[in-house]
């Protein structure tokens, strides 16, 4: 397998919000391209993009934004998923991003879907996404360890947040590698990719662990919007070889059944890393709808 084309950000900066906070961001691709927001996976920050080799041809301006408390973005204690949608509404207005679409990878899925629910974006692609793990339909499908964390988050969210704050860049790397299929490990451990991934993790935890801990509580709680009411086009992408216990346990089957506009793609020879191995297909489908 050819390693994915990983490139450093072409442009970086921060954007000030009305309340004085700042959001850190990175960009790849032509400034004249159609804007696509990347909601990255757990604690991977604005340093790790995807699809660098296809952005120019696809006419995509890829923008990755650090969530509050991660990387270069100002913390916002107690924030919600809908606060993220509000932040991105301001962000897109300040930066004059017209026709914005979103890609949510792994733990970034609920953040991208929040933007879709709030109509901040005109379309969304969920790639190897986490499901609404606290939804009753998920209970019987969860790995026992994940089920315990979901239950703790529901009964004592403060304790759960304190537990998740024990994470670090090194522990995150080991967890991802440990739960990944060998096809994904081949992607993640390729030297250039591993260097970029680990830099993204280090940057994400540069302010401490509170931002990641809050993200994880939000992802493992009931989501404050109805998936059944989504009206923007939604593509769900999963690799049949994905063995991550925190991604959708049924490769998006239940998730697709709840989203009226969903179109589900399951790639038989791919794992959870298909954001990087199938970037062209993901972007083409997202822009075509």
């Amino acid at each position: 397998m050819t390693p994915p084309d990983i490139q450093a950000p072409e442009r970086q900066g921060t954007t000030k919000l009305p309340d004085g906070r700042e959001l850190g961001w990175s960009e790849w691709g032509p400034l004249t391209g159609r804007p696509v927001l990347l909601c990255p996976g757990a604690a991977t920050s604005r340093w790790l993009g995807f699809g660098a080799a296809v952005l120019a041809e696809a006419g995509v301006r890829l923008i990755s934004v650090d969530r509050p408390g991660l990387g270069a973005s100002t913390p916002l204690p107690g924030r919600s998923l809908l606060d993220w949608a509000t932040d991105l509404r301001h962000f897109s207005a300040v930066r004059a991003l017209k026709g914005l679409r979103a890609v949510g990878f792994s733990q970034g899925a609920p953040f991208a879907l929040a933007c879709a629910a709030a109509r901040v974006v005109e379309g969304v692609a969920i790639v190897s996404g986490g499901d609404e793990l606290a939804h009753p339909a998920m209970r019987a499908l969860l790995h026992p360890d994940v089920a315990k964390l979901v239950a703790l988050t529901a009964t004592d969210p403060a304790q759960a947040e304190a537990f998740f704050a024990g994470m670090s860049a090194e522990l995150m790397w080991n967890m991802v590698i440990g739960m990944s299929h060998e096809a994904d490990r081949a992607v993640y451990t390729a030297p250039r990719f591993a260097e970029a991934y680990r830099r993204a993790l280090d940057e994400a935890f540069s302010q401490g662990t509170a931002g990641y801990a809050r993200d994880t509580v939000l992802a493992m709680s009931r989501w404050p919007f109805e998936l059944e009411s989504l009206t923007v086009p939604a593509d769900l992408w999963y690799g049949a070889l994905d063995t991550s216990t925190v991604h959708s346990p049924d490769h998006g089957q239940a998730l697709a059944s709840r989203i009226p506009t969903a179109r589900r793609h399951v790639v038989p020879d791919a794992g959870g890393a298909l954001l990087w191995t199938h970037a062209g297909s993901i972007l083409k489908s997202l822009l075509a709808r």
Side-chain angles (χ1 to χ4, degrees), residues 163-266:
F163 174 79
F164 296 135
M167 185 55 75
S168 68
E170 187 67 21
L171 288 171
M172 177 64 72
W173 169 261
N174 291 336
M175 183 180 75
V176 170
I177 297 302
M179 69 172 60
S180 293
H181 186 275
E182 61 183 19
D184 291 328
R185 287 197 296 271
V187 174
Y188 297 147
T189 60
R192 284 188 63 189
F193 191 96
E195 180 182 5
Y197 197 162
R198 300 195 74 156
R199 180 174 185 177
L201 290 172
D202 289 340
E203 172 79 4
F205 285 110
S206 61
Q207 299 187 61
T209 59
Y212 162 78
R214 187 62 187 168
D215 272 6
T216 308
V217 164
L218 297 179
M220 289 198 173
S221 300
R222 290 300 303 268
W223 298 347
F225 49 85
E226 294 292 330
L227 291 172
E228 292 79 4
S229 299
L230 257 63
T231 58
V232 305
D235 278 305
L236 309 182
W237 289 85
Y238 290 90
L241 303 180
D242 188 359
T243 54
S244 171
T245 59
V246 292
H247 294 166
S248 172
D250 61 0
H251 295 157
Q253 183 175 344
L255 192 62
S257 72
R258 297 180 60 201
I259 300 175
T261 59
R263 185 167 59 184
R264 179 172 170 250
H265 314 259
V266 179

Side-chain angles (χ1 to χ4, degrees), residues 11 58 73 141 155 164 186 193 257 285:
R11 300 173 293 275
S73 290
L141 302 178
T155 57
F164 296 135
F193 191 96
S257 72
S285 182

Side-chain angles (χ1 to χ4, degrees), residues 36-61:
V36 173
L37 168 72
L38 172 61
C39 294
T44 44
S45 76
R46 60 182 177 154
W47 280 93
L48 187 65
F50 75 96
V54 301
L55 296 179
E57 182 181 353
V60 168
R61 175 184 178 185

Side-chain angles (χ1 to χ4, degrees), residues 11-17 23-27 31 35 37 61-65 88-98:
R11 300 173 293 275
Q12 288 190 305
T14 58
T15 296
K16 185 166 286 189
L17 299 175
L23 294 180
W25 51 266
S26 293
E27 289 189 355
L31 282 170
L37 168 72
R61 175 184 178 185
L62 181 68
I63 307 162
S64 181
V65 182
L88 265 294
R89 189 184 301 280
H90 291 307
F91 178 86
S92 60
V94 170
R95 305 205 64 216
L97 302 174
K98 305 297 184 182

Side-chain angles (χ1 to χ4, degrees), residues 19 21-23 67-79 207 210-211:
D19 63 2
R21 289 182 297 116
E22 292 188 333
L23 294 180
R67 294 188 282 273
L70 286 84
S73 290
T74 310
L76 181 62
R79 59 187 163 90
Q207 299 187 61

Side-chain angles (χ1 to χ4, degrees), residues 99-158:
L100 185 64
R101 291 168 171 81
V103 174
F105 174 70
S106 188
Q107 195 177 75
F111 295 91
L113 288 167
C115 290
R119 299 299 299 268
V120 174
V121 297
E122 296 183 0
V124 63
I126 300 304
V127 184
S128 305
D131 208 318
E132 187 177 7
L133 300 179
H135 190 276
M138 290 290 101
R139 191 169 296 127
L141 302 178
L142 298 179
H143 185 281
D145 292 342
V146 175
K148 290 176 183 178
L149 293 174
V150 170
L152 176 62
T153 302
T155 57
D156 194 341

